[in-house]
Amino acid sequence: MTSTDVTTFPVVFMSNGVRIAGRVHRQSDDLAQRQPAVLVTGSWLTVKEQMADLYAAALASRGYTAITFDFAGYGESEGDLRQFELPQRKIGDIGAVASAVRTLSYVEPGRVGYLAVCASAQYVLAAIAQGAPIQSFASVAGWFHDTPSVAPFYGGAEGVRTRLQWAEAAYETYRRTGEMVTAPAYELGNDRAGMFFEVDYYADPERGAVPEWRNEMAEMSWLPWLPWLTFDGLAVADAVTTPTVLVHSDDSVFPDHVRALRDRLRGPVDVAWGHGTQTDFYDQPEQVAFAMDAVDAHFAKTLGAVA
């Protein structure tokens, strides 16, 4: 399939015995032509056809081989425990896909980067700290949270306790019957939804409410021992030496965390501070263009110029 001179085709990876569905985006359909590769993933509870494919098409138009994929349990990928936000599983998928991409004959050896939008940025950071073969990292509107910073999104300490109770009940149902109890991933005003505050991106079919996306979240995602609420997205910062660019704004989530990350990372760090809200960086032309210019400059410096 070709769109605006970018050719795409499906690709399959394996992660811990699970088939991971991906899509390759290239400006050239000549698979003998090597290009630097950039993996692209988006926010939590999303699929590749949302913000990831948009950035991948932009990267491909600039001469990169851009590869998107669905995490295990989401979209076209296999995996039990569907719609379950499992940070460690996603971290493992990132490492597995990055390792597999290094073996592709149309990828320049040693030139594999990663562009992560929103919440997947904290998972990529953790995967790099665990040894994932990623030579260059770009975070766009990166979400890096810990429990104290994420709790206010859900009503503070009381809201966290309530979600832990929902998760424990969902786990008991799953243990007894195998049924996966779900809530909407997004529904304005529904406290049980993963996102119940106004986020137009997920409500608009012209933006994030695409047919490939299941608007569901497993309620077990709130369990503290399979952490989303208790994940620390900054914990590994001091162990990461990979060249990084942080594209962010004061109106995106956790700008102070991004500033702290800039100061704690041990490798070269570029910062591109722009304007716009969190979801503006998902798909709005001004913010995407700003991010792409910064990301392209970073990858040209750290992966080498594209042919």
Side-chain angles (χ1 to χ4, degrees), residues 110-196:
R111 297 173 70 183
V112 176
Y114 207 114
L115 189 162
V117 181
C118 194
S120 65
Q122 62 185 352
Y123 301 150
V124 177
L125 195 69
I128 291 171
Q130 294 179 16
I134 296 165
Q135 284 70 52
S136 184
F137 174 43
S139 164
V140 176
W143 173 295
F144 301 91
H145 80 248
D146 55 16
T147 303
S149 60
V150 80
F153 281 88
Y154 306 111
E158 183 58 36
V160 169
R161 281 192 292 271
T162 298
R163 281 159 180 78
L164 296 180
Q165 292 169 1
W166 293 339
E168 289 167 1
Y171 174 69
E172 182 60 23
T173 296
Y174 179 77
R175 189 187 64 80
R176 288 187 295 102
T177 70
E179 177 191 354
M180 181 65 69
V181 178
T182 64
Y186 172 73
E187 186 176 322
L188 181 62
N190 181 354
D191 284 356
R192 293 194 85 109
M195 296 169 283
F196 57 87

Side-chain angles (χ1 to χ4, degrees), residues 4 15 30 37 49 74 77 83 126 140 157 172 258 280 292-293:
T4 60
S15 176
D30 178 4
E49 289 82 6
Y74 289 90
S77 289
Q83 307 301 121
V140 176
E172 182 60 23
V258 172
D280 286 341
M292 278 302 308
D293 285 345

Side-chain angles (χ1 to χ4, degrees), residues 48-266:
K48 61 185 180 299
E49 289 82 6
Q50 292 166 296
M51 61 282 287
D53 273 357
L54 177 68
Y55 275 91
L59 284 162
S61 71
R62 298 189 184 211
Y64 299 91
T65 288
I67 301 174
T68 59
F69 63 94
D70 290 322
F71 288 105
Y74 289 90
E76 296 180 311
S77 289
E78 294 178 340
D80 295 330
L81 306 176
R82 307 296 297 179
Q83 307 301 121
F84 198 169
E85 190 68 16
L86 284 165
Q88 286 303 324
R89 180 166 71 172
K90 287 191 168 184
I91 292 165
D93 291 345
I94 290 164
V97 172
S99 295
V101 167
R102 296 176 72 196
T103 70
L104 299 175
S105 63
Y106 49 86
V107 170
E108 288 277 6
R111 297 173 70 183
V112 176
Y114 207 114
L115 189 162
V117 181
C118 194
S120 65
Q122 62 185 352
Y123 301 150
V124 177
L125 195 69
I128 291 171
Q130 294 179 16
I134 296 165
Q135 284 70 52
S136 184
F137 174 43
S139 164
V140 176
W143 173 295
F144 301 91
H145 80 248
D146 55 16
T147 303
S149 60
V150 80
F153 281 88
Y154 306 111
E158 183 58 36
V160 169
R161 281 192 292 271
T162 298
R163 281 159 180 78
L164 296 180
Q165 292 169 1
W166 293 339
E168 289 167 1
Y171 174 69
E172 182 60 23
T173 296
Y174 179 77
R175 189 187 64 80
R176 288 187 295 102
T177 70
E179 177 191 354
M180 181 65 69
V181 178
T182 64
Y186 172 73
E187 186 176 322
L188 181 62
N190 181 354
D191 284 356
R192 293 194 85 109
M195 296 169 283
F196 57 87
F197 34 87
E198 187 169 1
V199 188
D200 182 64
Y201 178 82
Y202 295 105
D204 187 347
E206 298 299 316
R207 299 186 68 191
V210 297
E212 296 87 352
W213 178 57
R214 285 178 59 181
N215 186 8
E216 294 180 2
M217 179 196 72
E219 284 203 329
M220 287 199 299
S221 299
W222 303 123
L223 285 169
W225 38 272
L226 296 169
W228 162 256
L229 285 174
T230 56
F231 189 78
D232 188 339
L234 293 168
V236 301
D238 299 313
V240 173
T241 60
T242 300
T244 297
V245 63
L246 303 169
V247 181
H248 215 78
S249 73
D250 284 321
D251 292 323
S252 295
V253 293
F254 309 130
D256 289 340
H257 284 193
V258 172
R259 293 185 180 97
L261 188 62
R262 172 199 62 199
D263 296 337
R264 289 179 54 186
L265 289 170
R266 294 177 53 218

Side-chain angles (χ1 to χ4, degrees), residues 31 34 65 148:
L31 296 184
R34 293 183 182 270
T65 288

